[in-house]
Amino acid sequence: GMSRYNTNLQQVANNTWNKIDKINTELFTLTYGAIVVQLLKDFDSVDDVNNQLEKMGYNIGLRLIDEFLARSGLGRCRDLRETAEVIAKVGFKMFLGFAGTVLKMNAKKGSFHLVLEDNPLIDFVELPAQYKDTLIYNNILCGVIRGALEMVQMKVKCTVKKCPLKGHDVTQIKVVLIEHLTSEIPVGDEF
Amino acid sequence: MNIVDRQLPDKKSKNEVSLSAYTLLFSELIQYNQRKVTHIKELERRLADIGYSVGVRLLEYIAWKDKGDKYLKRETNTVRFLQFIAVTVWKLLFGKAATLERSMDKKEQFMITEDSTLVDKFISVPKDMQGLNCASLVGGLVEGLLDAAEFPARVSTHSVSVDTQKTPRTVILIEFNASVLAREQKYSL
């Protein structure tokens, strides 16, 4: 059943986590924060910053998927539900150190939500008032998911639905499957 | 919830992310900045700037994590603070200590050296960027720490080839402002 499958994924996640090289979270959090600040200086509009974060995430996702597949040893996912569970339980754990959960799984509509209770990107971060409503601080995660899934032939659209920096209790990202792709190699990095 | 009301992370818990996540982020940072500069030195400057803003914010966090309630007395001795950086900070961030050295002839000059730098261990520099020292980010981080602790210094990051290993060693050169040495002399026991 589903819970046995989830336990297996948890084991895969923990085994992988134990094997890989690690680095201090604060360094990661602060480096990301510094990147966001740099983008806010470089671009005129916050919308442009949001887009740039997503693009950077996309480029990362294109590369990340290889490592993910190699390290986890997981094969092709059979359906969207499995894809969602694998991203949440194994993907997040392997890279961010914390597993997430899947909510609002809707196979018919081709959508699901990913929920992270702990998110290293936002530890100790507080958004200045001027950016609170406009900056999508977690948008890089949307890009990572989009890039990674494109490499396994899924075209998706991701949006951040909840973020603790805006007062919510969790980070929540909605993923919508637009279409399955034929084996086209993506043109390359987006700038 | 207000940021100050949020629970502080358990100090003893090892807060870690995968090195891969950091490397991927760092790599993208380099790619992004590469398109904005014409010289490698400019790119290194931008990486150092990122490192600087990290270092400035890192000091408070590290001091809290390391000494907890004992952190009320600010470190004012240069060598002790450099040791704090080379040992405590380095262990926390990168898992092992770096080496602190002092220049023989220049009193104000110190070096923090390591055989390899963790953040750029898996970064492969493309052919058109040969000579780029990604460890510049770490040099900037050191400068940020020093500034935040009021030890102003000129910090530069260098790559030094050595016989004993294939890849060059990282040398972070620190040259303190005259004011720091003067202050040290004035208040030394």
Side-chain angles (χ1 to χ4, degrees):
Chain A
M2 205 56 196
S3 78
R4 187 175 180 186
Y5 175 69
N6 282 346
T7 313
N8 288 342
L9 284 187
Q10 206 175 0
Q11 276 172 349
V12 170
N14 289 338
N15 290 344
T16 314
W17 177 250
N18 290 336
K19 280 190 292 186
I20 59 175
D21 288 339
K22 301 177 189 64
I23 198 166
N24 172 268
T25 303
E26 273 304 303
L27 182 60
F28 180 72
T29 308
L30 290 172
T31 301
Y32 182 67
I35 292 171
V36 175
V37 168
Q38 191 183 44
L39 294 182
L40 286 167
K41 284 199 194 111
D42 286 348
F43 289 94
D44 291 327
S45 83
V46 180
D47 267 345
D48 287 342
V49 174
N50 292 334
N51 289 337
Q52 186 63 39
L53 286 173
E54 206 275 348
K55 278 181 190 158
M56 289 173 92
Y58 175 79
N59 295 338
I60 289 172
L62 295 179
R63 295 184 186 90
L64 176 145
I65 186 71
D66 276 344
E67 169 135 6
F68 174 78
L69 293 171
R71 293 260 189 212
S72 67
L74 292 172
R76 179 168 283 283
C77 290
R78 286 166 299 186
D79 53 31
L80 193 65
R81 176 188 292 275
E82 200 169 306
T83 304
E85 290 293 337
V86 164
I87 296 173
K89 296 271 176 323
V90 188
F92 283 139
K93 175 70 183 180
M94 192 192 303
F95 292 98
L96 299 179
F98 296 102
T101 46
V102 178
L103 278 189
K104 303 192 189 189
M105 182 70 226
N106 193 325
K108 207 165 174 193
K109 280 189 181 164
S111 70
F112 57 90
H113 291 232
L114 296 164
V115 177
L116 269 176
E117 279 181 29
D118 292 294
N119 182 353
L121 284 176
I122 61 169
D123 282 344
F124 297 107
V125 172
E126 191 170 17
L127 288 182
Q130 65 195 114
Y131 298 125
K132 218 163 179 184
D133 293 327
T134 48
L135 181 64
I136 309 171
Y137 198 84
N138 280 301
N139 224 19
I140 198 166
L141 291 178
C142 292
V144 172
I145 295 165
R146 178 169 74 92
L149 289 180
E150 186 168 311
M151 289 300 274
V152 291
Q153 268 71 63
M154 275 186 263
K155 184 174 175 182
V156 302
K157 183 173 158 67
C158 302
T159 32
V160 179
K161 287 299 189 189
K162 287 188 182 178
C163 177
L165 300 182
K166 296 189 197 251
H168 303 122
D169 50 347
V170 293
T171 303
Q172 190 164 322
I173 296 171
K174 180 177 180 180
V175 182
V176 178
L177 177 67
I178 311 270
E179 59 175 345
H180 284 283
L181 300 165
T182 53
S183 334
E184 267 173 53
I185 314 293
V187 173
D189 288 0
E190 286 187 1
F191 303 120
Chain B
M1 190 192 260
N2 195 298
I3 190 171
V4 298
D5 294 326
R6 280 195 231 144
Q7 200 174 42
L8 286 170
D10 176 17
K11 222 187 306 173
K12 288 211 170 57
S13 74
K14 262 186 139 186
N15 284 341
E16 293 175 311
V17 296
S18 72
L19 177 60
S20 180
Y22 193 89
T23 306
L24 288 163
L25 183 66
F26 190 18
S27 188
E28 193 51 37
L29 167 67
I30 294 167
Q31 298 284 345
Y32 169 76
N33 278 289
Q34 193 205 353
R35 294 190 289 279
K36 296 195 166 292
V37 301
T38 44
H39 300 297
I40 282 179
K41 285 294 167 200
E42 263 182 88
L43 180 51
E44 287 177 358
R45 182 71 253 160
R46 275 189 159 239
L47 294 182
D49 286 346
I50 294 271
Y52 182 90
S53 68
V54 172
V56 164
R57 286 168 185 76
L58 198 59
L59 180 62
E60 208 170 293
Y61 170 78
I62 286 178
W64 165 76
K65 196 175 168 78
D66 179 50
K67 288 175 185 172
D69 302 50
K70 286 190 280 177
Y71 178 60
L72 293 166
K73 185 172 178 248
R74 201 164 55 85
E75 184 57 74
T76 52
N77 177 276
T78 318
V79 174
R80 270 206 298 274
F81 190 71
L82 284 173
Q83 281 166 339
F84 170 69
I85 294 177
V87 178
T88 307
V89 175
W90 238 257
K91 272 188 186 163
L92 176 69
L93 297 184
F94 312 122
K96 60 173 184 164
T99 309
L100 178 66
E101 293 171 66
R102 180 168 207 160
S103 169
M104 293 298 216
D105 44 346
K106 286 187 181 177
K107 274 190 303 189
E108 72 278 14
Q109 201 175 76
F110 292 82
M111 288 143 294
I112 291 177
T113 65
E114 51 182 354
D115 290 341
S116 74
T117 299
L118 190 61
V119 296
D120 71 345
K121 187 173 169 186
F122 296 107
I123 301 274
S124 49
V125 179
K127 284 195 170 65
D128 62 342
M129 281 202 274
Q130 282 307 310
L132 173 69
N133 191 348
C134 301
S136 302
L137 182 128
V138 184
L141 195 155
V142 170
E143 189 173 351
L145 286 170
L146 290 171
D147 262 2
E150 295 186 47
F151 290 95
R154 214 171 44 243
V155 180
S156 54
T157 311
H158 306 269
S159 222
V160 180
S161 305
V162 290
D163 293 331
T164 46
Q165 57 185 68
K166 265 187 181 173
T167 48
R169 305 181 84 208
T170 301
V171 176
I172 296 170
L173 186 65
I174 301 156
E175 290 173 289
F176 288 105
N177 290 8
S179 61
V180 175
L181 297 160
R183 183 181 75 200
E184 195 95 325
Q185 258 193 328
K186 191 174 174 189
Y187 293 106
S188 65
L189 299 154

